[in-house]
Amino acid sequence: MAVVTWLVIFVISFALGYPLAFGMFMGAASYVILSHINLSTILNVMVIQYEGNFVLLAVPLFIFTAKVMNASQLTDRLFKFAGAFVGPVRGGLGHVNVIANIIFAGMSGSEIADVSGLGLMEVKAMEAAGYDKPFACAVSASAATLGPIIPPSIPMVIYAVISGASIGYLFLGGILPGFILGGCLMVWIGLISRKRNYPVGRWYTIREFVRSFIDSFLVLLAPVLLLGGIYGGVFTPTEAAAVVSVYAVVLSLLVYRTMGLKTLYKVIVESVVATGFTSFIIGCALLFGYALAREQIPVAIANFFVHLGVTQSKVLVLLSLNVLFLFLGCFVDATASLLIVIPIILPLVEAAHIDLVHFGVVVVLNLMIGLSTPPYGEAPIIISRLTNTPLHDVIRETLKFIVFMIIALFIISAIPDTVLWIPRMAGYAG
Amino acid sequence: MKSLPRRIFDFLEVYLPAAIFSVLILSVFVQVVFRYIFDQPIPQLFEISIYSFIWVIYLGGALATRYDQHMRFDLIYRKLSRNGRYVVDMFFDTLLNVIISVIIYPTIATVVQMYKLKSDTLGIPWSYLLVCFPIFLILIFIHNTISIVLKIREMAGAEKPAEETPPWL
């Protein structure tokens, strides 16, 4: 009775569009009530359990850093600097767009922050240079996928907490796949630019290069500080996030003076709201996970697949899970998919002896692709609103990029070394 | 001139969590500075940062509810008529309020009991950490109730009230 009530409330509230976090909370809380479990369990699971998950504190800090960078237009400097790396290539600004996203990914950790921050400026620049607006939007939406793949990454922090995988190795594991994904996007940009005769880029003069480097130097130090601090053993990921967020405030407020105190206050409150909905849902997922674990549902699912013999083939399991996550990504938010599905399938992944770091990077990439796929593709929706471009035109162009993203996903899924090579060099034993 | 309830909501959901969020960032940053530059770790800062985080989650969660910012799977929801959406929201808001009514008393009782238990480094009662959760539940209960009443009025033909401007804009 308790299990049925829990699942019915969750499934119906989810399907009918009631806020997901509250659907999870209502379902799991009704399970606790109907199972006559001590009601203080809810408080215990949803509040006290956070104390043991210090790494989650990185989530609001990464959110805040990205918002400061966007509000103070520090991202403009990155875009100008990225232009120095693309010479006289057809579709040059499209490539610049991808490179700027790779650099910004080194400090933001969120696809939405990337597309909202860099997107408008990138599309304006590309349109002014003669690119079709929907194509420019699609490049920005697709390149923003790189945000959570290249460290730091908010979804990887959440995955690490649920799975117990090392956050440090997960971050390292995302570096090479980020470049593979960026490369795949650039291949398509190159092909389509030749076909549509988009403008050719140009080399910067030495003067322009030096100028753009000096202009962006302090911003470029942010990822160095963040990743250098973590892998130099100076900071934990959470501490690194705090250092970079203070660094971003100092740059914006005191050095470049592109942000005033009023804007800072606005950014803080917006970060509170964002923390409210991203981290509160984690608390609800902890309660949901408690009910799942108490009923041993994940173990039962894993046993079912073990009996079927499915777990003997890593490739089959990974392929099936990739299809599942791609499908979910079309309809459900990435954080929600992580929080609901990972606890259920984790025993299955372990039974198939799939490395948790490899799996984590594959899942995050998969879910980020989902942020570009219709009908729930947040990235095309945001960029279409920001630039006043019809959504169906943006989606039509984005779909072609998705093919190349799936090629990158296939490479990364099929060759675990693309993820594990760098972590192993850093001492990972997996 | 803001009404008293609005001022209370603004204090609990906007100004207080914004202040706590600033403390959160600074406490982790100062922790790093003292540990690595002055070689003098301050263990109390760890507790301050994690307590601040938990408070921000729940007060921010209430603020996100007030401005309908929580994520929804809205494929079906968007296709419903206005009244259809209102019925869905009112049904689940009511169910959520019933669940909150059931758990609120034992939750408060546990928070009160925890007053005797002191935190490791700050030595303050655990209740100070945990009390954010019942505050959150009460705020959600009030927001839901207001939302239900407004929706019923609107369905009965009253005009939709003007959208409230967020106090930080």
Side-chain angles (χ1 to χ4, degrees), chain A residues 162 288 292 297-299 301-302 339-348:
Chain A
I162 304 169
F288 194 82
L292 279 176
I297 292 172
V299 177
I301 291 173
L339 293 169
I340 297 169
V341 182
I342 296 294
I344 296 174
I345 60 162
L346 206 57
L348 174 65

Side-chain angles (χ1 to χ4, degrees), chain A residues 131-317:
Chain A
Y131 291 80
D132 297 322
K133 204 172 169 190
F135 174 75
C137 290
V139 175
S140 299
S142 311
T145 312
L146 290 159
I149 313 296
I150 292 176
S153 163
I154 292 172
M156 282 184 194
V157 171
I158 295 172
Y159 172 83
V161 169
I162 304 169
S163 67
S166 154
I167 183 66
Y169 291 133
L170 275 166
F171 278 5
L172 283 179
I175 295 174
L176 200 51
F179 284 100
I180 292 172
L181 178 63
C184 286
L185 296 177
M186 288 167 94
V187 167
W188 175 241
I189 292 169
L191 290 173
I192 200 78
S193 298
R194 192 166 292 188
K195 191 179 168 193
R196 294 182 186 169
N197 210 19
Y198 283 143
V200 179
R202 63 174 181 87
W203 288 119
Y204 277 19
T205 60
I206 293 175
R207 194 189 164 99
E208 277 175 321
F209 176 77
V210 171
R211 177 117 195 207
S212 70
F213 180 70
I214 291 170
D215 275 354
S216 58
F217 177 71
L218 292 174
V219 186
L220 290 170
L221 274 186
V224 176
L225 193 66
L226 188 101
L227 301 177
I230 294 173
Y231 298 109
V234 183
F235 319 128
T236 63
T238 309
E239 290 170 342
V243 171
V244 172
S245 59
V246 172
Y247 180 72
V249 171
V250 170
L251 278 191
S252 317
L253 215 56
L254 304 176
V255 181
Y256 295 126
R257 295 169 186 250
T258 44
M259 184 173 73
L261 285 174
K262 206 174 168 184
T263 310
L264 177 63
Y265 168 67
K266 192 176 154 229
V267 166
I268 289 175
V269 181
E270 282 174 359
S271 304
V272 167
V273 179
T275 305
F277 65 76
T278 49
S279 300
F280 169 63
I281 196 173
I282 297 173
C284 298
L286 290 174
L287 190 65
F288 194 82
Y290 165 83
L292 279 176
R294 196 168 180 275
E295 290 298 323
Q296 300 196 318
I297 292 172
V299 177
I301 291 173
N303 285 340
F304 173 75
F305 284 106
V306 169
H307 285 303
L308 286 179
V310 173
T311 52
Q312 285 171 357
S313 167
K314 268 188 197 183
V315 177
L316 185 64
V317 173

